[in-house]
Amino acid sequence: IKAGAFDSLGATRLSLIQVHEDAVDAVVPLKRQEAMGQFDLFGAQPAPSSSPLAHLKFGDEEWPRKQLLAYEREMLGLYVSAHPLDGAERILRKHAPRPIAAILDNPPKEGELVISGLITSLERRVNKKGEPWAICTVEDMDASLEVLFFPKSYALFQADLIEDNAVLVKGRVNWREDKMSVFGGGLAPLDLSELGEAPLVLRARPEKLTLPVVLELKQTLLAHRGDTPVHVKLMGRREQTFALYDYPVEVTPMLLGELKTIPGITL
């Protein structure tokens, strides 16, 4: 449920979690009877009203977007329906002019570095003197970089070293066995609240956007009108993002499921 595997049922993930124990409890006695050979040969396809799950009630409440995406990453190791930083590019570039992917394409051999993104993993350690330090991964929309906070800097910033925190990191470039990392010397949390309603970002390759695909996408968005803006990011040698101002949507599991069936469109 947390990974989105049951989105096609049309209920919110939160409501599915709330009733899943009741659903299991309702079916277990039936399965025990079947295992003992005591099932009704004429009851293999019961009417919906006689289903052992007919009593379940599903609410409309959903987890906050940040928590929903955090569960996706916890279950699958990646974000699926969206990215927590969708719509935050302006804020990230305000504090760190170059995205991490651009830094890795032309990495500096030495000197100071500024990056911004989410802390997507955190490993706390203790050195031989018993002093705590940490290794974390900072990830933006397209790439990630390992940052090491040794005891002195760790003592200053440990309160903000939390997974899924958006942060600005300043540090010194370090190379070891042809792998670049950063020795963190400064860290500050980023306030993404100024984003307002983060857009739903759809990704597509230009050659895949045929007329039938565009028409199907248009009809899908119109069928789920709401207040969340929609952006389309064209993937290729040069990425471009277009805002579909006339097609805001209500982001629901049903909408995400329909979008996933459109050829050439990815979330």
Side-chain angles (χ1 to χ4, degrees):
I1 293 172
K2 289 180 177 179
F6 290 86
D7 285 0
S8 61
L9 296 181
T12 67
R13 298 181 192 178
L14 175 56
S15 66
L16 288 169
I17 283 288
Q18 290 172 337
V19 304
H20 83 280
E21 291 184 354
D22 289 340
V24 172
D25 290 342
V27 173
V28 164
L30 180 62
K31 292 299 180 182
R32 285 175 179 166
Q33 291 177 7
E34 291 180 358
M36 297 171 62
Q38 297 178 2
F39 56 90
D40 185 354
L41 291 176
F42 300 99
Q45 295 180 337
S49 59
S50 63
S51 166
L53 305 181
H55 67 289
L56 298 179
K57 304 298 181 183
F58 299 93
D60 296 325
E61 188 179 359
E62 181 60 285
W63 282 309
R65 181 172 179 272
K66 180 179 179 180
Q67 186 175 358
L68 185 142
L69 294 175
Y71 281 141
E72 287 183 359
R73 187 175 183 90
E74 177 186 338
M75 297 294 106
L76 302 172
L78 72 162
Y79 303 110
V80 178
S81 57
H83 193 285
L85 295 177
D86 284 341
E89 290 90 345
R90 177 178 58 85
I91 296 175
L92 298 181
R93 298 291 72 80
K94 175 182 176 181
H95 297 281
R98 298 176 67 200
I100 295 176
I103 293 173
L104 295 178
D105 285 343
N106 186 23
K109 295 300 180 183
E110 57 184 4
E112 299 291 318
L113 198 61
V114 180
I115 61 174
S116 59
L118 283 182
I119 297 177
T120 55
S121 71
L122 181 66
E123 183 180 350
R124 302 181 192 274
R125 298 185 177 184
V126 177
N127 65 14
K128 294 180 179 179
K129 296 180 180 180
E131 299 169 325
W133 63 288
I135 302 175
C136 71
T137 299
V138 176
E139 176 182 320
D140 61 12
M141 298 295 295
D142 301 304
S144 62
L145 195 55
E146 188 175 82
V147 182
L148 289 73
F149 287 92
F150 292 117
K152 288 185 179 179
S153 56
Y154 177 82
L156 294 173
F157 308 118
Q158 60 176 317
D160 293 315
L161 286 172
I162 303 171
E163 287 193 16
D164 296 319
N165 255 12
V167 295
L168 169 72
V169 174
K170 296 181 180 180
R172 181 165 50 87
V173 173
N174 173 67
W175 286 90
R176 183 177 182 182
E177 297 179 354
D178 296 327
K179 180 183 177 182
M180 188 179 79
S181 61
V182 175
F183 289 167
L187 181 143
L190 293 180
D191 181 12
L192 301 185
S193 60
E194 59 185 281
L195 281 176
E197 183 69 39
L200 173 65
V201 178
L202 308 177
R203 293 171 172 80
R205 301 196 68 83
E207 65 271 16
K208 298 290 185 179
L209 288 181
T210 61
L211 181 58
V213 168
V214 171
L215 291 176
E216 185 177 357
L217 176 60
K218 177 181 177 180
Q219 293 303 317
T220 300
L221 298 179
L222 288 174
H224 297 272
R225 292 194 69 86
D227 299 320
T228 301
V230 177
H231 291 178
V232 173
K233 178 179 286 189
L234 297 184
M235 313 298 291
R237 295 182 61 184
R238 181 183 177 186
E239 293 185 358
Q240 291 180 292
T241 301
F242 297 89
L244 305 184
Y245 295 110
D246 296 330
Y247 300 92
V249 296
E250 179 184 0
V251 180
T252 64
M254 184 175 294
L255 169 63
L256 299 177
E258 292 180 15
L259 289 173
K260 291 175 184 176
T261 67
I262 301 177
I265 299 294
T266 57
L267 301 175

